C-alpha cells in the first residue's frame, strides 16, 4: 500500500467511524428531551426510565464521538498538512464556531447526565435541549466546511496564491445549504430507524413490551418523517452537484456520453474501458428532467471531462445506487408506518410489521456511509474542487500505512467495545427498570 | 485582534494544562496508589471529575482550532515534524477517554471488565501527558530540522532527544501534583485527605527532580534554557513567584485550606509556563538553523484573524458563564449534599 492511498484510507476510515457517533450525538439528545418532556408532563416513570436508559447509551457514544473527533482535528494536519496550510484560514471559520458549539454541548451534557434530581426539572430538561441543539448546529457547521471543499468560495486563486480571503463567504458557499440540510435529515433518518429497530426487536421478543413500545414510537416518528423528506432534499443535492461538480454527477450516474434525452440509470455495472454500462435499467430523458427540468437538454457526461480529472466511476456509482435504494425503502416503510398509525393500528404489533423495522435497523447508517462515499470519492482527484489536488496535499512523511493499520485496529476494537456495552445495557433493562 | 487570538490560544493551552492535566493526573495518582486504596481513589476521583471531564478536554480542541485557522503554517509544520508523538498522544487520549466512560457506563459491573478499563485508563493517563510534554519540549528544543534529508533526523530526532523526553516526564509529574492537590479538596474522609496530601508531597518532589533534569538535559542538547529563564526580568520574577508560592503551599498543605492551595498550585504551573513562554514570545516553534515560527509573523491573513477573534469573543460570552455555573453547581451541590 503506498503512502498516498494509506492516507486516504485512514481519513476515510476515521470519518466513516466518526459520522456514526456524530449522527447519534446529534439526534439522541432530541429523543431524550422528548421522553423527558413526556415524563415531566405525565409523571409516568416509564418515560424517566426511557430517558435514563437512552442517556447511558448517549454517554457511551458521546465519549467515542468526542475522541474520534479530537483525532480528526489532528488528522487533518497529520495527513494533509499542505491542504490545511492553505485551506485552514479560508474554511476554518465553521470549525472555530463548531468548537464553541461542542463546548456548550459538553457543558450541557455534564448538567444533564449528572443533574438528575439535583436541579429544577425544567432547567434539567432545558440542558437536554441544549445538548441536542448544539449537536445539530455543530453538525451543520462542519458540513459547511466540507461543502466548501466541494464548492470553494471566499478567496481568489491566482498563480498558486490564495488572496482576498473572506471566511464568512467561504462558510456560506453555494453548496452549504443543500448539503447541511441533507445531512441533518440523514442523521435523523439513520438514528431514528436504528433506535426504532432495536426497540422493535425487543417488542418482537416480548421483552418489556410497554417500555419498548413507547421508545419505538418516539424514535420512529422522527425516522419516518425524515425518510419522507430525504428524497426531496436529495434531489436538491443532485441538482447542485450537476451544476458545480459535473464530473461527480456523471460518475454517480455512470453517464459516459453527453447526448439529448439523457438516461437515468438504475443499477448496472459500469465498464470504464468500453465506456458502457451492462445490465442496468435505463430510463431515457429522466436524468435530463431531474437535472434541467426538461426531458431533452443533454446532461454533461464523462466524455466532457479530461481523464485525469475524473473520479472513480464504479465506486461512486454503486455508492449512489445503494443510498438511493435504501432511501426508497425507508420512504416506503415510513409511509407504511404513518398509514398504520392512521388506519390500521392492529398492524403495529404484527410480527411481519415489526420484522420490517428490525430489518431496517442498520440501513440508515449504511446509506449515510454510502452518501459520504459519493460526496468524497466523487470529488476526487480534487481535495478542493478545481483548486488543489489530493495528491498535492498529502504529508511527506513515509510509512503512513503503519498508522493506517493501527487506526483500523483501534476503530475495530472500539466498535466491538461499543456493541458489547450496548448489548449489556439492553440486557440490563429488565433489572434496572422493571420494579414497577 | 491578533492579540485577542493569541491570548485565547495561550489561555486554552493553560487551561488544558491545568484542568486536563489534573484529569490526567488523577489517573497517574491511581496508577501509583496501592491496590488496597485504588477503589477509594477512584470513587473520589469519579465524583470530582465526572461531570466536568468532557468540558476539560474541550480546551485542547479550541487550541487546535485556533492553530489551524489562525496559524496554519505553524500547525502544519508541527503536524509534519512531530507526527509521531502527536499520534501517540492521540492514541492515549482515545484510550483514556473511552476507558473512563466505559467503566462508568458499563451496565454490568463485573471485575474482569472493570479491571481491563482501569488498566487502560491508568496507563493511558501516563502516556498522554508524557507525549504532550514531549511535543511541548520539542517545539522549543531547536531539534526540528527542515533541511534534514533522512527519515530519522526529520521525523524521529525532532522529538526523541533528552530535553524533550525530560520535559515529558516533568509534565507527568506536574499533572500528578495538580491532581493530588485537587483531590485533597474533594476527599471527604480524613484518611483520604492524608493520603492525597502525601501524594502531593511526593509528586512535588518528583516534579522538582525532573525539573532539575530538564535543565541538565537542556545543557546537554544546547538548549539555552537557563539563559532564557534567568536572563530576563519577567521570567525571573515568574520563577521567583513560583518558588515562593511553592514554599507557601508546603506550609499551608497541613493547614487544610484547600481553596488556597489549589490556587497556589495553579499559580505555580502558570508561572512555569509564563517563564518559559515569555522569553521567546512571539516565536513558538524553534527550528534548527534559526527559522523560528512566530505568532506575530506566521499567522493567517488579517480578515481571518478578525473573524476568528470575534468568533472566540462571542463564543466565550456563551461558554464562560455556563462553564462557571457547571463548576459552581457541582462543587456546592456536592458539598451541601455531604
Ligand atoms: C439516511 C441516509 C441517506 C438517504 C436515505 C439518502 N441520502 Fe443522500 N446523502 C446522505 C445520506 C442519505 C449523506 C451521508 O448524508 C450525504 C453525504 C454528504 C451529504 O451532505 O449527505 C449524501 C449525499 C448525497 C448526494 C451528494 C451531494 C454532493 O456531493 O454534493 C446526493 C446527490 C444525494 N445524497 C442524493 C440522494 C437521493 C436522491 C436520495 C433518495 C432517496 C438520497 N440521497 C437518500
Ligand atoms: C463524517 C462524514 C464524512 C465521511 C464519511 C467522509 C468520507 C470520506 C472518504 C470516503 C474520503 C476518501 C476519499 C478518497 O480518497 O477517495 C474522504 C476524504 C477526505 N475528507 Fe471526507 N468525509 C466526511 C466528512 C468530511 C468533512 C466534514 C471534512 C472536512 C471539512 C472532510 C475532509 C476530508 C479530507 C481532507 C479528505 C482527504 C482528501 C481527499 O481524499 O479528498 N470530510 N472523506
Ligand atoms: C460530516 C461530518 C461531521 C459531523 C456531522 C460531525 C458532528 C459531530 C458531532 C455532533 C459531535 C459531537 C459528538 C457527540 O455528541 O457524540 C462531534 C464531535 C466532534 N467532531 Fe465531528 N463531525 C463531523 C466531522 C468532523 C470533522 C471532519 C472533524 C475534524 C476536523 C470533527 C471534529 C470533531 C471534534 C473535535 C469532536 C469532539 C467534540 C466533543 O468533545 O464533543 N468532526 N462531531
Amino acid at each position: 500500500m503506498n503512502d498516498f492511498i494509506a492516507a486516504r484510507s485512514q481519513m476515510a476510515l476515521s470519518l466513516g467511524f466518526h459520522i456514526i457517533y456524530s449522527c447519534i450525538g446529534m439526534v439522541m439528545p432530541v429523543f431524550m428531551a422528548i421522553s423527558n418532556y413526556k415524563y415531566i408532563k405525565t409523571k409516568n416513570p416509564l418515560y424517566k426510565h426511557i430517558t435514563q436508559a437512552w442517556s447511558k447509551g448517549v454517554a457511551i457514544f458521546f465519549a467515542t464521538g468526542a475522541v474520534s473527533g479530537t483525532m480528526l482535528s489532528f488528522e487533518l494536519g497529520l495527513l494533509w498538512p499542505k491542504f490545511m496550510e492553505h485551506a485552514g484560514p479560508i474554511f476554518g471559520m465553521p470549525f472555530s464556531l463548531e468548537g464553541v458549539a461542542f463546548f456548550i454541548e459538553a457543558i450541557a451534557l455534564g448538567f444533564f447526565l449528572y443533574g438528575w434530581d439535583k436541579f429544577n426539572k425544567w432547567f434539567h430538561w432545558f440542558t437536554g435541549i441544549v445538548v441536542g441543539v448544539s449537536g445539530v448546529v455543530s453538525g451543520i457547521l462542519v458540513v459547511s466546511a466540507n461543502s466548501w471543499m466541494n464548492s470553494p468560495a471566499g478567496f481568489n486563486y491566482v498563480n498558486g496564491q490564495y488572496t482576498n480571503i473572506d471566511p464568512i463567504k467561504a462558510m456560506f458557499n453555494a453548496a452549504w445549504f443543500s448539503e447541511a440540510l441533507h445531512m441533518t435529515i440523514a442523521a435523523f433518518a439513520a438514528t431514528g430507524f436504528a433506535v426504532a429497530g432495536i426497540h422493535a426487536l425487543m417488542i418482537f421478543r416480548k421483552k418489556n413490551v410497554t417500555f419498548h413500545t413507547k421508545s419505538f414510537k418516539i424514535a420512529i416518528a422522527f425516522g419516518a418523517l425524515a425518510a419522507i423528506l430525504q428524497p426531496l432534499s436529495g434531489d436538491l443535492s443532485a441538482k447542485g452537484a450537476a451544476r458545480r461538480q459535473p464530473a461527480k454527477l456523471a460518475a454517480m450516474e455512470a453517464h459516459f456520453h453527453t447526448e439529448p434525452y439523457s438516461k437515468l440509470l438504475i443499477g448496472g455495472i459500469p465498464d470504464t474501458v468500453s465506456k458502457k454500462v451492462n445490465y442496468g435499467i435505463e430510463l431515457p430523458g429522466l436524468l435530463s428532467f431531474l437535472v434541467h427540468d426538461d426531458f431533452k437538454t443533454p446532461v454533461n457526461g464523462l466524455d466532457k471531462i479530461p481523464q485525469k480529472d475524473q473520479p472513480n466511476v464504479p465506486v461512486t456509482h454503486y455508492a449512489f445506487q445503494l443510498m438511493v435504494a435504501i432511501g426508497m425503502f425507508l420512504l416506503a416503510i415510513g409511509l407504511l408506518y404513518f398509514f398504520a398509525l392512521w388506519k390500521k393500528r392492529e398492524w403495529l404489533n404484527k410480527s411481519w410489521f415489526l420484522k420490517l423495522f428490525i430489518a431496517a435497523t442498520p440501513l440508515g447508517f449504511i446509506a449515510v456511509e454510502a452518501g459520504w462515499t459519493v460526496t468524497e470519492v466523487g470529488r476526487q482527484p480534487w481535495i478542493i474542487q478545481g483548486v488543489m489536488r489530493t495528491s498535492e496535499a498529502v504529508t511527506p512523511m513515509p510509512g503512513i500505512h503503519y498508522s493506517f493499520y493501527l487506526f483500523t485496529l483501534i476503530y475495530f476494537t472500539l466498535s466491538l467495545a461499543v456493541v458489547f456495552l450496548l448489548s449489556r445495557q439492553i440486557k440490563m433493562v429488565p433489572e434496572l427498570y422493571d420494579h414497577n | 485582534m491578533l492579540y485577542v487570538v493569541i491570548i485565547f490560544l495561550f489561555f486554552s493551552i493553560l487551561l488544558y494544562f491545568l484542568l486536563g492535566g489534573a484529569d490526567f493526573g488523577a489517573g497517574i495518582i491511581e496508577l501509583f496508589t496501592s491496590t488496597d486504596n485504588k477503589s477509594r481513589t477512584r470513587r473520589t476521583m469519579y465524583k470530582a471529575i465526572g461531570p466536568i471531564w468532557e468540558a476539560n478536554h474541550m480546551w485542547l480542541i479550541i487550541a487546535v482550532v485556533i492553530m489551524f485557522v489562525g496559524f496554519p503554517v505553524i500547525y502544519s509544520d508541527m503536524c509534519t515534524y512531530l507526527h509521531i508523538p502527536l499520534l501517540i498522544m492521540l492514541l492515549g487520549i482515545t484510550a483514556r477517554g473511552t476507558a473512563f466512560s466505559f467503566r462508568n457506563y458499563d451496565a454490568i459491573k463485573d471485575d474482569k471488565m472493570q479491571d481491563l478499563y482501569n488498566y487502560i485508563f491508568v496507563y493511558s493517563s501516563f502516556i498522554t501527558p508524557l507525549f504532550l510534554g514531549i511535543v511541548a519540549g520539542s517545539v522549543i528544543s531547536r531539534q526540528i530540522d527542515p533541511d534534514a534529508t533522512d527519515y530519522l533526523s526529520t521525523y524521529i530526532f525532532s522529538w526523541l532527544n533528552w530535553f524533550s523526553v525530560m520535559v515529558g516526564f516533568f509534565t507527568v509529574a506536574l499533572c500528578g501534583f495538580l491532581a493530588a492537590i485537587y483531590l485533597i479538596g474533594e476527599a471527604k474522609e480524613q484518611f483520604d485527605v492524608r493520603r492525597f496530601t502525601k501524594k502531593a508531597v511526593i509528586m512535588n518532589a518528583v516534579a522538582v527532580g525532573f525539573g532539575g533534569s530538564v535543565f541538565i538535559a537542556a545543557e546537554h542538547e544546547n538548549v539555552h534554557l537557563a539563559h532564557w529563564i534567568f536572563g530576563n526580568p519577567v521570567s525571573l520574577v515568574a520563577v521567583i513567584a513560583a518558588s515562593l508560592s511553592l514554599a507557601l503551599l508546603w506550609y499551608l498543605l497541613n493547614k487544610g485550606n484547600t481553596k488556597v492551595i489549589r490556587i497556589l498550585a495553579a499559580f505555580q504551573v502558570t508561572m512555569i509556563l509564563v517563564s518559559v513562554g515569555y522569553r521567546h514570545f512571539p516565536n513558538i516553534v524553534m527550528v534548527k538553523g534559526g527559522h523560528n515560527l512566530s505568532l506575530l509573523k506566521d499567522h493567517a491573513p488579517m480578515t481571518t484573524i478578525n473573524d476568528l477573534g470575534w468568533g472566540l469573543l462571542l463564543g466565550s460570552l456563551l461558554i464562560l458563564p455556563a462553564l462557571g455555573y457547571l463548576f459552581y453547581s457541582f462543587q456546592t451541590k456536592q458539598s451541601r449534599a455531604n
Side-chain angles (χ1 to χ4, degrees), chain A residues 4-5 7-9 11-20 22 72 76 79-80 83-84 91 95 139 141-147 149 179 183 312 368-369 371-384 389-390 393:
Chain A
F4 177 49
I5 299 292
R8 286 168 61 181
S9 312
M11 196 70 200
L13 177 76
S14 311
L15 285 158
F17 183 83
H18 181 69
I19 191 65
I20 296 177
S22 41
L72 275 172
L76 283 175
L79 299 174
W80 316 103
F83 166 61
M84 289 313 283
F91 87 149
F95 282 113
L141 285 165
V142 76
V143 170
S144 111
N146 179 266
S147 67
M149 294 162 61
E179 214 182 306
M183 179 67 232
N312 182 326
V368 166
E369 301 287 356
W372 278 105
T373 309
V374 174
T375 304
E376 305 287 293
V377 176
R379 188 185 57 240
Q380 303 304 321
W382 302 103
I383 191 168
I384 309 173
R389 279 170 195 274
T390 313

Side-chain angles (χ1 to χ4, degrees), chain B residues 153-170:
Chain B
S153 14
T154 318
Y155 300 109
I156 303 285
F157 298 138
S158 51
W159 55 275
L160 192 62
N161 53 64
W162 282 113
F163 177 70
S164 303
V165 172
M166 280 306 147
V167 174
F169 281 106
F170 181 55

Side-chain angles (χ1 to χ4, degrees), chain A residues 13 22 49 56 60 65 84 97-98 127 158 188 196 203 240 242 261 277 291 306 336 341 383 393 396 401-402 407:
Chain A
L13 177 76
S22 41
H49 295 155
K56 290 209 180 113
I60 294 170
M84 289 313 283
L97 298 178
E98 189 205 16
T127 59
V158 206
F188 277 90
I203 302 170
Y261 300 103
V277 179
V291 170
L336 185 73
L341 206 59
I383 191 168
H401 50 286
Y402 293 111
F407 272 70

Side-chain angles (χ1 to χ4, degrees), chain B residues 173-191:
Chain B
L174 279 184
C175 289
F177 170 64
L178 284 170
I181 295 286
Y182 184 64
L183 289 174
I184 294 174
E186 296 297 316
K188 294 290 167 302
E189 283 165 46
Q190 213 43 49
F191 174 70

Side-chain angles (χ1 to χ4, degrees), chain B residues 13 52 71 94 129 132 149 152 167 174 180 193 195 229-230 283 296 318:
Chain B
I13 294 174
I52 50 175
F71 308 96
T94 305
L132 187 68
T149 45
L152 284 179
V167 174
L174 279 184
V193 172
R195 258 178 349 105
I229 291 182
F230 300 114
N283 295 346
L296 292 182
L318 287 171

Side-chain angles (χ1 to χ4, degrees), chain A residues 185-336:
Chain A
I185 298 175
F188 277 90
T191 315
F193 276 98
V195 173
I198 292 171
H199 291 292
L201 180 65
M202 293 296 139
I203 302 170
F204 184 73
R205 290 191 181 156
K206 304 259 179 299
K207 300 234 171 83
N208 305 74
V209 173
T210 26
F211 179 94
H212 290 297
T213 305
K214 287 199 168 16
S215 319
F216 176 83
K217 277 196 176 145
I218 296 175
I220 198 62
F222 283 93
L225 189 64
I228 293 169
L229 298 175
Q230 194 78 4
L232 300 175
S233 113
D235 177 51
L236 204 64
S237 300
K239 286 196 167 76
R243 226 173 308 125
R244 292 178 290 266
Q245 296 173 290
K248 183 190 271 181
L249 186 90
M252 277 154 56
E253 287 293 329
H255 182 53
F256 288 107
H257 307 288
T258 311
E259 58 205 3
Y261 300 103
S262 301
K263 301 184 273 293
L264 184 76
L265 174 64
I266 297 176
I269 299 177
D271 180 341
T272 43
V273 179
S274 66
K275 312 219 179 296
K276 277 217 297 275
V277 179
N278 303 316
Y279 314 113
I281 304 171
E282 297 184 334
L283 306 172
L286 212 55
L287 185 62
S288 292
F289 177 71
L290 285 175
V291 170
H292 297 301
D293 288 326
D294 84 77
F295 288 97
K296 186 159 177 223
T297 318
V299 173
N300 285 339
L302 289 162
D303 52 1
K304 292 261 171 139
I305 292 143
Q307 190 73 38
K308 68 178 193 350
D309 292 346
Q310 288 183 12
N312 182 326
V313 176
V315 171
T316 317
H317 177 66
Y318 296 139
F320 185 63
Q321 297 296 305
L322 183 61
M323 169 173 64
V324 174
I326 292 175
M328 291 304 160
F329 178 72
L330 296 184
L331 170 68
I333 65 173
L335 288 172
L336 185 73

